[in-house]
Amino acid sequence: MSMHNADTQAVRGRFLDIQHTASQPEDIASHIRYIEDGLLLSNAGKIVWFGAWADVDPKLLDGVAVAHYPDQLITPGFIDTHIHFPQTEMMGAYGEQLLSWLNNYTFPTEIKFKDKAYADQIASFFVNELLKNGTTTALVFCTVHPESVDALFEVAASKNMRLIAGKVMMDRHAPETLCDTAQSSYTESKQLIEKWHEKGRALYAITPRFAPTSTDAQLSLAGQLKQEFPSVYVHTHLSENKDEIAWVKSLFPHHAGYLDVYHQYGLTGERSVFAHCVHLNEDEWKCMHDTDSAIAFCPTSNLFLGSGLFPLRKAWQHGVKVGLGTDVGAGTSFSQLQTLGEAYKVQQLQGDTLSAFEAFYHATLGGAKSLDLEDCLGNFNVGKEADFIVIDLNATPLQQLRQSHASTIEDHLFALFTLGDDRNIVATYVNGQKVYSSSLTT
Ligand code: GUN
Ligand code: ZN
């Protein structure tokens, strides 16, 4: 009799992942695991066997159909640690830096998400876009409207995705129709936590937009919520733009700096993720480290809004966790491949570099660690959740030419990050099931 039930899935092919988290970028290469011909077996969404095809006991596969991808590369699904689903329709809004971009483009767009039917439509488009780009987990901003959170979690649940999201808390310096109050933001966030947090694969994030759009009273209640529900996330923006930083200083004169505002309200910690952190000072780097808070590095957004160059080396030096964020709609692509290509250039402009293996780390296991999810996501270790993608290295004639001149896996990866995009994603598996395929026949 077969030991399997209908929930068993088997995938064979070339596998690449990173076996351990790293405290220095130089260590990553020795943690790379490349299996030229391997098998991954999952049951009920969890990896139950992973290794070389040659080591497979045939009894393991008794009665199980094997999906075989002999010509592709199979990696863990990408993790996007900062993105705004309601901003999908306003990518590429022209000509502004952060604060005027928010007022002129972002707030008018976000007002539309009061309408649940509209939020449903964009949530569905957004999740499909994540999956076709190989992103299997994301930490997502919704809008101030609780309906927008329901819309997103409902679509994610229909795909069994591990997704973290929350309602924006914002009670000043935005159009009145887009503001809540300190009290309503607390009550609505609490209701959403009770409704969604740890239901299926959903996780909730307390989401004050950024310090300038919250009163002290709101930030204080956000901190109280975090104390009441310690396993939820905190997700916000920090130190993105110089005018923004000066504004925070004038709004919160009694705080030592921008991060100190969040810190004093109890919003730092191992499940706190701060997008950008382009211009942190030494005290702030130390506080990020001491509180085990994480950074979402968003290169396409930082370039698009002219915010600045994120000093990735400093994060390693200070032992601060970093994940990769697309930050759509200030970011210009849903693709983690394109985002890594820009991350490399951001390092080059600072006289630093970014190896292919380090880049791969940030998009997979490092991203999982920055979300405190390295025990369930980020590589193919048995017991982890079966979220993975099938990548075609040769999606265009140009890529084919370039890849034919690559000899090492590192070089193949680097060319993929430089030239690749959603055309390279052949299939996306979430919780062991194929939820996206680039061709209807595979
Ligand atoms: N800071 C506050 N809100 C936002 C936003 O929507 N996008 C970006 N990039 N930065 C922000
Ligand atoms: Zn953002």
Side-chain angles (χ1 to χ4, degrees):
M1 202 179 78
S2 166
M3 60 182 276
H4 302 300
N5 59 36
D7 250 358
T8 299
Q9 306 283 333
V11 176
R12 178 182 178 185
R14 285 162 74 196
F15 289 87
L16 181 75
D17 72 343
I18 298 171
Q19 296 192 64
H20 310 287
T21 56
S23 53
Q24 290 306 323
E26 300 76 31
D27 298 342
I28 294 168
S30 65
H31 303 332
I32 289 282
R33 170 166 56 183
Y34 177 56
I35 302 183
E36 187 101 45
D37 184 12
L39 178 79
L40 184 149
L41 210 61
S42 69
N43 185 270
K46 295 260 174 70
I47 299 171
V48 293
W49 197 94
F50 176 67
W53 178 257
D55 296 337
V56 176
D57 177 346
K59 277 193 243 123
L60 262 184
L61 293 175
D62 200 12
V64 178
V66 179
H68 193 189
Y69 297 98
D71 302 323
Q72 284 94 5
L73 188 66
I74 304 173
T75 74
F78 296 140
I79 294 174
D80 189 336
T81 61
H82 180 67
I83 185 164
H84 300 248
F85 101 81
Q87 296 176 12
T88 305
E89 67 191 65
M90 52 160 289
M91 292 170 76
Y94 175 76
E96 315 264 10
Q97 290 221 347
L98 176 64
L99 300 176
S100 51
W101 175 87
L102 283 173
N103 285 321
N104 294 334
Y105 299 112
T106 314
F107 294 154
T109 302
E110 293 193 2
I111 286 170
K112 298 186 198 171
F113 288 74
K114 168 134 198 61
D115 176 0
K116 175 69 169 26
Y118 191 70
D120 287 340
Q121 184 192 325
I122 300 296
S124 171
F125 184 96
F126 171 84
V127 166
N128 284 336
E129 202 63 30
L130 291 180
L131 296 172
K132 80 189 284 249
N133 280 281
T135 297
T136 50
T137 282
L139 171 57
V140 189
F141 258 69
C142 302
T143 64
V144 75
H145 316 98
E147 296 85 348
S148 71
V149 181
D150 287 336
L152 184 65
F153 276 135
E154 283 163 15
V155 179
S158 76
K159 312 275 184 191
N160 259 319
M161 272 177 95
R162 189 166 280 295
L163 195 112
I164 315 171
K167 174 202 124 60
V168 169
M169 302 171 80
M170 169 157 78
D171 66 347
R172 62 169 169 171
H173 298 139
E176 211 175 313
T177 49
L178 207 53
C179 283
D180 51 20
T181 65
Q183 190 56 48
S184 72
S185 72
Y186 171 84
T187 308
E188 289 172 355
S189 299
K190 187 170 180 156
Q191 284 166 351
L192 288 165
I193 291 169
E194 285 162 350
K195 183 169 182 183
W196 289 109
H197 185 58
E198 294 175 341
K199 300 289 161 17
R201 300 183 79 197
L203 294 164
Y204 193 83
I206 297 167
T207 310
R209 175 167 221 116
F210 67 155
T213 47
S214 287
T215 58
D216 285 278
Q218 185 167 60
L219 292 172
S220 170
L221 285 173
Q224 189 180 319
L225 256 188
K226 173 66 185 171
Q227 262 191 346
E228 287 175 48
F229 300 93
S231 68
V232 305
Y233 288 79
V234 173
H235 183 200
T236 188
H237 297 92
L238 171 63
S239 205
E240 175 178 7
N241 168 289
K242 297 225 165 122
D243 291 345
E244 170 209 20
I245 296 165
W247 194 23
V248 172
K249 288 213 166 103
S250 74
L251 291 171
F252 297 92
H254 304 303
H255 288 266
Y258 194 163
L259 178 56
D260 188 54
V261 176
Y262 298 131
H263 185 59
Q264 294 299 329
Y265 285 112
L267 297 171
T268 47
E270 66 179 357
R271 287 201 162 192
S272 294
V273 180
F274 296 97
H276 308 301
C277 299
V278 174
H279 309 286
L280 296 183
N281 63 35
E282 279 305 309
D283 287 347
E284 291 175 319
W285 279 110
K286 191 167 177 315
C287 178
M288 290 294 292
H289 167 80
D290 293 347
T291 58
D292 202 21
S293 301
I295 297 173
F297 168 29
C298 306
T300 76
S301 165
N302 296 159
L303 294 170
F304 184 75
L305 291 179
S307 302
L309 304 173
F310 174 70
L312 181 56
R313 292 304 101 192
K314 275 200 182 166
W316 283 110
Q317 284 158 12
H318 288 87
V320 175
K321 301 176 297 191
V322 176
L324 193 68
T326 59
D327 194 28
V328 163
T332 53
S333 172
F334 273 82
S335 170
Q336 295 282 70
L337 300 175
Q338 289 198 313
T339 305
L340 287 174
E342 298 307 288
Y344 173 80
K345 295 172 199 168
V346 165
Q347 299 320 304
Q348 286 282 69
L349 283 166
Q350 299 175 89
D352 295 327
T353 191
L354 176 64
S355 75
F357 288 150
E358 183 187 341
F360 183 54
Y361 179 78
H362 292 306
T364 58
L365 188 60
K369 185 173 160 71
S370 74
L371 299 181
D372 195 31
L373 292 174
E374 71 272 24
D375 291 341
C376 56
L377 298 178
N379 66 19
F380 297 127
N381 288 356
V382 167
K384 290 209 185 185
E385 297 169 3
D387 292 349
F388 54 92
I389 58 180
V390 182
I391 299 175
D392 178 5
L393 294 174
N394 304 297
T396 67
L398 173 63
Q399 291 183 18
Q400 203 167 11
L401 177 69
R402 171 63 180 88
Q403 294 289 7
S404 74
H405 291 85
S407 50
T408 63
I409 189 69
E410 197 166 7
D411 199 14
H412 283 297
L413 267 188
F414 190 69
L416 174 71
F417 299 151
T418 306
L419 301 174
D421 53 35
D422 55 324
R423 292 171 295 183
N424 294 83
I425 309 302
V426 171
T428 301
Y429 286 73
V430 165
N431 214 43
Q433 306 285 337
K434 186 160 64 177
V435 291
Y436 166 76
S437 167
S438 64
S439 108
L440 294 175
T441 54
T442 53

